Amino acid sequence: MNIDDAGEFDVYLRGPVWERVNDAEFEVDLAQDLQALATTDMATRTLESLLNSVVTPQDWEVGEAMAECLLSDEVGAVWPWNENRDRKTPKASLPGADIVGFIGEGDKTTFLFGEVKTSSHAETPPGVMNGRSGLAHQIDTLATAQSHHFTLIKWLRARCTTDDLCARFRTATQRYLISEGKDFAIIGVLLRDTVAHQDDLRTRGQTFGAGPIQPRIRLDAWYTPRPIADWVNIASTAA
């Protein structure tokens, strides 16, 4: 899908995407909690230094946050947790599925596991689609590896911290178990700053469609009006 309006894209980057990248609500609550504990001038100065030590996000982080925001808007996906909270080092790229949540409402709620790739390369399809670290292989693995499913289900259960999220988890788990591990959704998201081309996803989409009964698989390609190399600068700059 083409995102044609550069101005609207900038607003989107600076708003929901940047808030997701920075885990804004959680960070504000954390800062307030820490400020309440800074009871001396020295402690206050230390806290100010600590809060200003944030590392600038990378392009792929903005891409994953953008994918989550787009999927929330487009298909109503729900993300119970911001994975930034799981990092032990500032620039860590965490293993496992890039995005993990739910899709659907009520008794139709299922797990949603996804992978996100960004690419500025001119070739079609781009290199990020291929190889063992490529989008196609990662989607294949998510579709078939039950050990991956169990790891993601455990991870998700520990992060369902409200009654609504726990209810979604129970429904999604029941559907997964009753279907013998087939009733869940997978999405692959490709984010590009190049001209849209149907061959970016067509071959892989045809392969998925011709396969045996499997989880529901969706492939999305979004073509943005700003270079990927500029996303962080745009997102972090006030309008």
Side-chain angles (χ1 to χ4, degrees):
M1 182 179 295
N2 272 320
I3 303 175
D4 296 318
D5 192 314
E8 288 188 4
F9 181 69
D10 291 351
V11 171
Y12 198 65
L13 276 176
R14 293 177 181 130
V17 174
W18 194 239
E19 290 177 3
R20 184 69 183 173
V21 171
N22 289 293
D23 200 6
E25 184 176 352
F26 176 81
E27 292 289 336
V28 168
D29 290 343
L30 175 62
Q32 290 175 344
D33 288 343
L34 295 177
Q35 285 165 355
L37 299 172
T39 56
T40 67
D41 289 343
M42 183 176 293
T44 298
R45 290 193 297 272
T46 301
L47 177 58
E48 289 176 353
S49 177
L50 187 65
L51 294 176
N52 289 327
S53 65
V54 177
V55 175
T56 301
Q58 301 179 67
D59 296 339
W60 61 265
E61 295 177 70
V62 177
E64 289 183 9
M66 189 187 306
E68 289 180 326
C69 291
L70 289 169
L71 292 172
S72 293
D73 294 338
E74 294 294 315
V75 300
V78 174
W79 315 109
W81 191 255
N82 191 313
E83 294 188 40
N84 290 341
R85 302 171 197 172
D86 293 332
R87 291 179 182 164
K88 301 299 189 297
T89 60
K91 294 185 178 181
S93 177
L94 298 172
D98 292 330
I99 51 179
V100 183
F102 303 108
I103 191 170
E105 295 292 335
D107 61 4
K108 297 187 181 300
T109 301
T110 62
F111 296 121
L112 175 60
F113 306 143
E115 298 288 352
V116 181
K117 298 293 183 183
T118 60
S119 177
S120 294
H121 294 169
E123 64 264 27
T124 299
V128 295
M129 290 295 297
N130 305 311
R132 291 194 60 81
S133 62
L135 185 64
H137 178 74
Q138 290 176 333
I139 293 296
D140 286 337
T141 300
L142 277 180
T144 57
Q146 200 167 63
S147 60
H148 284 56
H149 302 168
F150 187 42
T151 297
L152 294 172
I153 289 170
K154 287 193 297 180
W155 181 92
L156 193 56
R157 176 62 186 89
R159 288 153 181 80
C160 288
T161 57
T162 67
D163 290 343
D164 173 67
L165 292 174
C166 287
R168 291 177 186 270
F169 180 86
R170 288 193 294 270
T171 299
T173 301
Q174 287 177 329
R175 292 179 67 101
Y176 178 91
L177 295 175
I178 291 171
S179 68
E180 298 181 331
K182 294 183 174 62
D183 191 354
F184 66 100
I186 295 175
I187 188 157
V189 179
L190 177 64
L191 297 167
R192 305 203 69 188
D193 54 7
T194 60
V195 176
H197 200 296
Q198 61 183 357
D199 288 343
D200 281 346
L201 297 180
R202 181 170 58 181
T203 299
R204 178 51 53 173
Q206 290 173 341
T207 300
F208 286 141
I213 297 174
Q214 57 187 341
R216 296 184 303 284
I217 298 176
R218 172 183 174 127
L219 298 176
D220 282 1
W222 294 82
Y223 300 87
T224 71
R226 300 293 194 193
I228 291 171
D230 293 344
W231 286 358
V232 172
N233 184 54
I234 294 170
S236 59
T237 303

